[in-house]
Amino acid sequence: AITMMGKRILFIAPASFPANSAEAIVNLKQLKLLCDNGYKIDVISKKMKWAQYPEEQYEQTLINLSSLHILEIDNKVSIQTVWTHLLTYLSFGIVYKGAHWAYLGLTVCKQLIAKKKYDYVITKNYPSELLGYYLKKKYNIKWVATWNDPFPHEKYPHPYGNGPMAKLSYSKRRLLKVMAKYADIHMFPSERLRDYMLQYLDVDMKKTRIVPHIVLDETHTPNISSKNILRIVHTGNLHSPRDPNLFLEGLMLFLEKVPEARIEFTFIGVMDDGFEENVKNKYLTKYVVILDPVSYDESLEIIKNYDIAMIIEAPCYEGIFLPTKVSDYMQCHKHIFSISPKDGVLHDLYSEDIVKYYADCTNVTSILNAIEQMYFDFINGDIEINMAVKSEYRGCSILKTFNDLF
């Protein structure tokens, strides 16, 4: 591995410790890669009151940080939160709902900067960008801003948000100007997300880098389902506008064609209320299993016992997201079945033969055909252990990007 001994980074990632969300998992993998390769990193994180997944403890992550600061803040409306929002506005000249965590973070940043000289600051999910801007302006520390999703939320593609041309409040418009002017580097997990955000973020392409979610090198060989049944798993939460019900329609059509099929789909995580009911109403309980959320490490162990791993995306005009699950599934050497927009990141991966099975998330016949193809590949013994990992997702490739930043 190429190492950069002594590069010191202030890593501001509200979602990182504890590891209880997809964003946190992406950030922890990046931290592990950098710390294992000689970077000295101080992390400022946020204690989330409402976790999406059971938490991993910091000790379990085996990441050798220089220091970790987890700041807890209340989002409920109170005199205290109103006051902290006012202080946030006075400190940064920008405020929006939830931005008050940045005010707490500023104190810690100043204490760390008084003691240590940083090569650069990396900011992750909001409101870390306020701190990146402040530290760049006040201390002239290089700022690397990361956008794993479109920002701000109003600019998400439909049906999540109002698209790239969505109207913004004065504060958010000012925020975009500040981000474009002050950040030295903007990181995105995919070209599609970069191109999407550059429609409204006035940044020179030369200042952008593509850093996909890391596939850590796993040494163990994955288990493979030994049962005489095709087993497919979907991990993580499935909330609207991601809709698994069209998948159920496709599965019913498949079972009408192949009534004796030995096939089972397992969903692990929090589903929208109607999903379980729909499974029962369609008499699919024999084929569709729903399990409670588990911790991240447990989910990786579970994935290894399945033949294929599945992703369901929302029906966006263009699929600009790179789901965390993609790198997790690659890491477990599993073929991926993606139900996604016909123009998007996952369809690109399908075209490159990284995603093995694909269906259009708006087309029930497409879903039927993909299930049929998977099943007959299984019956014919064509589902081998998949070792296809896109080289750009590997640690060595991502490490090189970081080493070459400045």
Side-chain angles (χ1 to χ4, degrees), residues 127-393:
S128 66
E129 76 290 335
L130 292 179
L131 291 166
Y133 153 58
Y134 184 99
L135 300 178
K136 170 72 184 180
K137 199 174 166 194
K138 183 171 169 70
Y139 300 100
N140 199 26
I141 304 172
K142 288 190 173 80
W143 172 24
V144 179
T146 310
W147 314 110
N148 283 332
D149 291 310
F151 184 82
H153 201 276
E154 294 87 337
K155 298 273 192 187
Y156 266 59
H158 186 78
Y160 290 101
N162 297 320
M165 299 308 143
K167 288 189 166 49
L168 295 176
S169 65
Y170 166 76
S171 212
K172 295 265 178 88
R173 288 200 306 275
R174 181 152 187 267
L175 185 56
L176 288 179
K177 284 197 175 79
V178 156
M179 283 155 45
K181 182 179 173 186
Y182 286 92
D184 295 275
I185 301 281
H186 294 265
M187 283 187 175
F188 304 91
S190 72
E191 280 92 352
R192 283 186 184 269
L193 179 58
R194 176 198 63 197
D195 296 347
Y196 181 88
M197 280 186 69
L198 291 193
Q199 291 178 84
Y200 59 85
L201 187 64
D202 185 17
V203 170
D204 187 328
M205 192 73 95
K206 290 200 289 286
K207 284 183 155 189
T208 67
R209 300 289 184 278
I210 304 300
V211 178
H213 306 327
I214 299 170
V215 176
L216 293 174
D217 293 323
E218 297 284 284
T219 46
H220 49 252
T221 47
N223 311 333
I224 193 82
S225 163
S226 56
K227 284 187 184 174
N228 196 12
I229 179 170
L230 174 59
R231 300 177 77 228
I232 297 137
V233 66
H234 181 289
T235 58
N237 302 336
L238 258 183
H239 291 307
S240 177
R242 284 176 289 178
D243 181 11
N245 292 305
L246 198 67
F247 152 73
L248 294 181
E249 302 287 338
L251 177 59
M252 284 184 74
L253 290 176
F254 166 72
L255 292 168
E256 280 169 27
K257 284 183 82 171
V258 193
E260 74 291 349
R262 300 184 305 280
I263 192 167
E264 182 185 286
F265 289 85
T266 302
F267 290 83
I268 302 169
V270 180
M271 309 291 136
D272 275 346
D273 291 346
F275 182 56
E276 197 159 357
E277 209 174 308
N278 211 351
V279 169
K280 285 181 187 143
N281 292 345
K282 289 180 166 32
Y283 304 102
L284 289 172
T285 47
K286 182 183 165 189
Y287 304 98
V288 179
V289 179
I290 300 167
L291 302 176
D292 287 337
V294 295
S295 75
Y296 176 65
D297 280 352
E298 273 179 87
S299 76
L300 291 184
E301 286 307 312
I302 290 168
I303 291 164
K304 288 170 199 159
N305 295 313
Y306 285 79
D307 303 290
I308 292 170
M310 175 174 168
I311 294 169
I312 295 178
E313 288 199 292
C316 298
Y317 173 72
E318 179 191 7
I320 58 171
F321 300 96
L322 175 63
T324 320
K325 290 190 269 287
V326 172
S327 58
D328 292 339
Y329 292 166
M330 281 184 195
Q331 197 166 301
C332 296
H333 304 295
K334 294 298 167 188
H335 280 310
I336 297 171
F337 167 35
S338 175
I339 302 179
S340 303
K342 56 179 177 286
D343 188 22
V345 174
L346 283 155
H347 191 267
D348 295 342
L349 290 172
Y350 173 66
S351 306
E352 295 171 49
D353 217 23
I354 300 290
V355 164
K356 175 88 171 177
Y357 301 101
Y358 166 81
D360 174 351
C361 61
T362 62
N363 185 325
V364 71
T365 311
S366 177
I367 295 170
L368 155 70
N369 293 340
I371 296 173
E372 206 169 15
Q373 190 198 344
M374 285 193 299
Y375 189 69
F376 288 110
D377 282 356
F378 171 73
I379 293 295
N380 297 326
D382 289 339
I383 298 183
E384 78 291 357
I385 292 176
N386 173 32
M387 307 311 257
V389 174
K390 197 167 157 62
S391 60
E392 291 89 331
Y393 290 53

Side-chain angles (χ1 to χ4, degrees), residues 40 53 59 121 126 165 294 300 390 406:
K40 295 183 173 66
Y53 305 111
E59 291 71 32
V121 174
Y126 75 89
M165 299 308 143
V294 295
L300 291 184
K390 197 167 157 62
F406 296 111

Side-chain angles (χ1 to χ4, degrees), residues 39-102:
Y39 284 77
K40 295 183 173 66
I41 301 182
D42 297 284
V43 172
I44 303 176
S45 185
K46 176 179 176 182
K47 176 106 176 86
M48 300 288 185
K49 285 267 168 90
W50 317 109
Q52 291 172 284
Y53 305 111
E55 293 177 2
E56 303 282 345
Q57 294 309 306
Y58 167 57
E59 291 71 32
Q60 288 170 262
T61 63
L62 305 174
I63 300 172
N64 187 20
L65 299 173
S66 293
S67 70
L68 172 62
H69 309 266
I70 301 176
L71 312 178
E72 186 162 3
I73 198 153
D74 204 339
N75 285 323
K76 289 204 173 71
V77 176
S78 65
I79 292 168
Q80 179 66 38
T81 52
V82 171
W83 174 242
T84 320
H85 273 88
L86 177 63
L87 293 173
T88 303
Y89 180 71
L90 294 173
S91 300
F92 302 102
I94 295 169
V95 73
Y96 54 86
K97 191 173 174 229
H100 59 317
W101 177 86

